[in-house]
Amino acid sequence: MRDDRAEPAKGTLYRTVAADLREAIAAGAYGSGGKLPAESALAERYGVSRGTIRQALAALRADGLVTSRRGTRRVVLGTTRVQSFSELLSFTNWARSVGEDPGGRVERLERRPAEARECEQLRLDPGAEVVVVLRVRTLSGRPVMVERSVYPVWVGELVARIPADAVSHTEPLQEQGVVFADADHTIDLVLADADDARLLGCRAGEALLRERRRTTDPVGAPVEWSEDRYLHGTVAFTVHNSLATSALSRRHRRPH
């Protein structure tokens, strides 16, 4: 490592090593399918212990960048960083991870009887009520996504207490004990409706990228059914498959 770098705190050494290796992988230094140097060689290169190298490799493994086999040289699976669960679940966490300033405001919040599809997704009895939230999300002040979230009443009542211009709903909900543990995603195209056109500044009928997501807690109970509609050209979703991992990531497309 370069001598002119400020020496990181001991607990962050592995993050520094992981960041350096991640940059090298992204630059194609090892190629897809190539092997990283042995742990001993990496420890010598960075002037750290093999335990620190193992922590750094574990972080790369969690990102889906290298194989998870121990005792052998790690194989590079690809050059694209796979997002963590929290980044993919939360627009706010994702925006910050790509260097953008996230924002949002609630346009409409209502409590009403659940529709048949909502009852199915949230496992509610017919006639049960839900809380529906319509929200516009921004990146550095630019509207890029309309979020339609449907919650069971007990979660929706917590959402109703969050300020309308709060940057994140996920974080305060987690602080209130709502645990987002698993999510199923469906991605397709949909035509913009009147709300989409008004909030995103696009034409009604324009094609938008849609992500529908059902999120469950640790015991499998649904806590959210959400439909996010992204303005064309602002994001792309990438699926990475390998023997070691299968994951979904979201990428930001910056306006030209």
Side-chain angles (χ1 to χ4, degrees):
M1 301 177 72
R2 297 198 307 266
D3 293 337
D4 58 347
R5 287 185 185 178
E7 185 175 352
K10 186 174 181 180
T12 63
L13 275 174
Y14 83 92
R15 294 190 180 94
T16 303
V17 174
D20 197 71
L21 288 172
R22 192 177 288 114
E23 289 179 8
I25 290 172
Y30 302 104
S32 182
K35 291 186 177 182
L36 292 180
E39 288 181 0
S40 57
L42 289 172
E44 183 176 355
R45 176 193 298 179
Y46 290 101
V48 297
S49 69
R50 291 184 66 168
T52 297
I53 294 299
R54 291 190 188 104
Q55 285 182 290
L57 293 175
L60 297 180
R61 185 177 68 246
D63 282 347
L65 295 177
V66 300
T67 55
S68 58
R69 292 179 61 189
R70 297 188 62 178
T72 61
R73 290 169 60 189
R74 305 301 174 94
V75 176
V76 176
L77 296 173
T79 59
T80 302
R81 178 182 180 273
V82 176
Q83 289 173 281
S84 68
F85 177 76
S86 64
E87 287 171 359
L88 190 58
L89 178 71
S90 167
F91 179 92
T92 299
N93 288 342
W94 167 72
R96 289 170 177 163
S97 77
V98 296
E100 293 282 346
D101 182 23
R105 66 178 184 275
V106 172
E107 292 290 321
R108 186 163 65 244
L109 186 151
E110 62 177 340
R111 179 169 172 167
R112 60 162 173 74
E115 298 173 358
R117 178 66 167 162
E118 294 163 352
C119 286
E120 177 187 353
Q121 291 296 326
L122 296 176
R123 298 180 196 161
L124 299 173
D125 295 328
E129 291 193 323
V130 291
V131 174
V132 183
V133 180
L134 176 69
R135 193 170 174 222
V136 62
R137 308 307 307 274
T138 61
L139 290 177
S140 302
R142 181 187 178 216
V144 297
M145 187 259 277
V146 174
E147 180 181 84
R148 292 168 171 84
S149 299
V150 184
Y151 300 99
V153 169
W154 73 273
V155 180
E157 289 177 342
L158 297 176
V159 174
R161 300 173 193 166
I162 301 173
D165 60 351
V167 173
S168 173
H169 281 184
T170 304
E171 292 173 0
L173 284 176
Q174 289 175 329
E175 291 171 359
Q176 293 294 316
V178 180
V179 179
F180 300 96
D182 294 278
D184 295 315
H185 305 264
T186 302
I187 299 167
D188 59 6
L189 293 177
V190 68
L191 301 181
D193 64 15
D195 279 331
D196 299 326
R198 174 175 59 86
L199 296 173
L200 295 176
C202 63
R203 292 178 292 102
E206 183 175 327
L208 304 176
L209 183 63
R210 176 172 67 174
E211 181 218 355
R212 286 175 289 177
R213 179 181 65 253
R214 184 179 69 171
T215 311
T216 55
D217 67 11
V219 299
V223 291
E224 177 195 41
W225 166 241
S226 183
E227 180 179 308
D228 300 343
R229 299 184 177 192
Y230 292 88
L231 194 63
H232 172 72
T234 57
V235 301
F237 288 87
T238 301
V239 178
H240 172 79
N241 294 104
S242 76
L243 291 176
T245 184
S246 179
L248 175 72
S249 67
R250 169 175 46 191
R251 294 181 290 109
H252 176 33
R253 289 183 171 175
R254 298 180 185 277
H256 297 294

